[in-house]
Amino acid sequence: MSGSHELSRRDFIKVTTGIVGGLIGAVIGLPSIYYLIDPALREGGKEAWIPIGKFEDMQVGVPYPFSFTRVQVNGWERTASSFGGYAIRKSDSPEDLLVLNSRCTHLACTVNWHEESDAYICPCHDAKFSMAGEVLDGPPPRALDVYDEHRLTADGLIEIFFKEA
Amino acid sequence: MFKNIYDWLDERLGLNDLYTNLLDRPEPKTTWWNTLGSASMFLFIMQGLTGIFLTVYYTPSPDHAYDSVQYIMEGVAFGWLIRGIHHWGATLMVVLVFVHMLRVFYTASFKFPRELTWLIGIGLFLTTLGMGFTGYLLPWNQKAYWATTVGTQIAGTAPFLGEFILKALRGGPDLSALTLQRFFSAHIWIIPAVLVGLMGIHLYLIIKHGESHFPTKED
């Protein structure tokens, strides 16, 4: 009993309560954080080849609009998300095809091709993109996104390679 | 440095007084039976926290209530833990509050000057039961559905006002989306608000009067 660090009964209770409380807090608190952010940690990334139209229907130099829907399971519900874009043929070769994503690079509204303006115009903030997708006017930080991979099937369909976010 | 900050806050908030009155007040000789009130409050806080977390995924609609609970149990990380604590904590809270009430009764702690503490305690017991009754419906499974059918039917047997009470509880003559929605509202807003208010008064009275002595032979 000569130790200089003698712990009083009260201090012992305080320390013990603190430690036990901290343990309970950690055991429940840390899983709670994981529970809250869990959906943000999910990996989507499903891949698919999606047909967007017949190659013969696409005219050289005229943007060909297409759209498709993907169904994803979010939580307890299936959510259908729409995607779309424009395919632009530059020549007769099926390789020489530009497939643009119509999702505006500013804040993700959908751009539309306007023949008279010779531009894709976004209805949200008046962004303008050229036929090839370059920014002409407005707030977008970069050109329209491109579906890099596409192929011509035996039935004459153009398919694009799509990867979920 | 920290002492300076603490002193500055203490002068304005009275932290030392709070500590003395809440956690360091004089007590008569007590036993573990005297801890049941604090245990009930701890459980209530746990129920509140886990309940808030559950509302992140739960949806009170007949279309999705069951699926969202399944999702919490199987789809979300540690959802089983959060809901498990809420589920078992609810049962334990009813038991603890009731045993706490028995303790107060057997030690005659409800007598002067603590009659109001006792009456408010009865209110706390009833609101706790209300939480249990309304929460039981929310998973929207067979057991929940039929338990609430029976429970509201029993309330409907009250003389004169019975039919009105049944319709008021169910939001109509039948168990429906309205029933689920109003039970949810009662479970997360109305009853907890009443419970927290009563708990505040209950705690104030306990701090004001202190714990009661256990009665002796002379009492």
Side-chain angles (χ1 to χ4, degrees):
Chain A
M1 288 294 151
S2 58
S4 56
H5 295 295
E6 215 170 314
L7 200 60
S8 74
R9 191 184 157 106
R10 293 194 146 219
D11 285 339
F12 173 76
I13 293 288
K14 278 182 201 165
V15 170
T16 315
T17 309
I19 292 173
V20 172
L23 273 179
I24 295 175
V27 166
I28 297 170
L30 296 177
S32 298
I33 294 169
Y34 190 9
Y35 168 88
L36 283 182
I37 62 173
D38 185 33
L41 304 176
R42 293 294 166 87
E43 302 224 352
K46 266 192 282 175
E47 301 167 346
W49 283 96
I50 293 167
I52 58 170
K54 283 196 164 160
F55 182 61
E56 60 187 42
D57 294 343
M58 301 173 186
Q59 295 170 33
V60 176
V62 180
Y64 175 87
F66 66 90
S67 64
F68 58 95
T69 307
R70 299 285 291 168
V71 176
Q72 272 175 310
V73 177
N74 284 315
W76 54 90
E77 201 170 45
R78 299 164 73 79
T79 315
S81 313
S82 296
F83 300 88
Y86 292 90
I88 304 110
R89 263 176 78 174
K90 294 179 202 155
S91 67
D92 285 340
S93 160
E95 300 300 317
D96 211 9
L97 189 71
L98 177 68
V99 186
L100 292 175
N101 186 336
S102 59
R103 187 176 184 271
C104 182
T105 51
H106 178 222
L107 292 168
C109 297
T110 303
V111 301
N112 298 300
W113 173 251
H114 286 252
E115 187 73 59
E116 68 283 2
S117 318
D118 198 29
Y120 305 98
I121 298 178
C122 180
C124 292
H125 303 98
D126 287 333
K128 268 190 181 178
F129 299 90
S130 72
M131 190 188 288
E134 285 127 20
V135 182
L136 297 176
D137 194 12
R142 59 171 202 277
L144 286 175
D145 291 328
V146 172
Y147 288 107
D148 292 323
E149 291 179 65
H150 47 83
R151 67 184 182 191
L152 182 64
T153 67
D155 323 340
L157 287 171
I158 292 288
E159 289 186 337
I160 55 168
F161 183 70
F162 176 81
K163 193 165 189 265
E164 279 172 9
Chain B
M1 215 304 255
F2 285 116
K3 179 142 181 27
N4 283 341
I5 296 172
Y6 180 81
D7 287 345
W8 189 90
L9 287 172
D10 181 39
E11 278 178 325
R12 282 148 187 89
L13 296 170
L15 294 175
N16 281 335
D17 291 348
L18 266 182
Y19 179 78
T20 313
N21 285 317
L22 289 177
L23 296 171
D24 218 2
R25 58 177 190 276
E27 294 270 334
K29 186 165 172 43
T30 49
T31 71
W32 281 99
W33 293 103
N34 294 71
T35 62
L36 290 168
S38 302
S40 305
M41 185 172 81
F42 174 76
L43 275 177
F44 175 72
I45 293 167
M46 286 299 290
Q47 293 300 94
L49 289 175
T50 50
I52 287 168
F53 281 125
L54 286 174
T55 61
V56 174
Y57 296 105
Y58 175 75
T59 179
S61 103
D63 297 344
H64 298 302
Y66 182 79
D67 292 336
S68 66
V69 172
Q70 291 307 111
Y71 182 67
I72 290 169
M73 292 304 281
E74 281 152 26
V76 194
F78 291 109
W80 58 271
L81 179 67
I82 306 283
R83 177 155 180 263
I85 293 171
H86 200 75
H87 177 97
W88 292 106
T91 307
L92 194 58
M93 188 172 159
V94 172
V95 172
L96 276 196
V97 170
F98 185 66
V99 177
H100 175 50
M101 194 170 101
L102 284 183
R103 193 281 293 171
V104 171
F105 180 75
Y106 283 122
T107 58
S109 305
F110 52 85
K111 291 183 177 178
F112 175 83
R114 299 185 180 83
E115 298 97 323
L116 280 178
T117 323
W118 167 258
L119 286 175
I120 288 163
I122 291 170
L124 284 168
F125 179 59
L126 292 177
T127 44
T128 304
L129 291 185
M131 290 299 283
F133 183 60
T134 50
Y136 205 84
L137 177 67
L138 303 185
W140 202 247
N141 52 26
Q142 287 291 325
K143 207 162 73 166
Y145 184 90
W146 293 107
T148 305
T149 303
V150 171
T152 47
Q153 200 74 34
I154 291 171
T157 59
F160 307 114
L161 282 174
E163 203 190 329
F164 167 75
I165 293 172
L166 179 126
K167 281 187 184 171
L169 282 174
R170 289 184 180 174
D174 305 308
L175 223 67
S176 64
L178 288 179
T179 321
L180 182 58
Q181 191 69 43
R182 60 177 47 224
F183 270 50
F184 179 68
S185 170
H187 188 75
I188 71 161
W189 295 120
I190 303 168
I191 305 178
V194 175
L195 209 159
V196 165
L198 291 176
M199 209 165 73
I201 308 172
H202 201 71
L203 281 179
Y204 163 75
L205 288 173
I206 287 161
I207 288 161
K208 177 163 174 59
H209 296 302
E211 289 267 337
S212 67
H213 283 278
F214 277 16
T216 57
K217 276 184 183 165
E218 283 74 47
D219 295 323

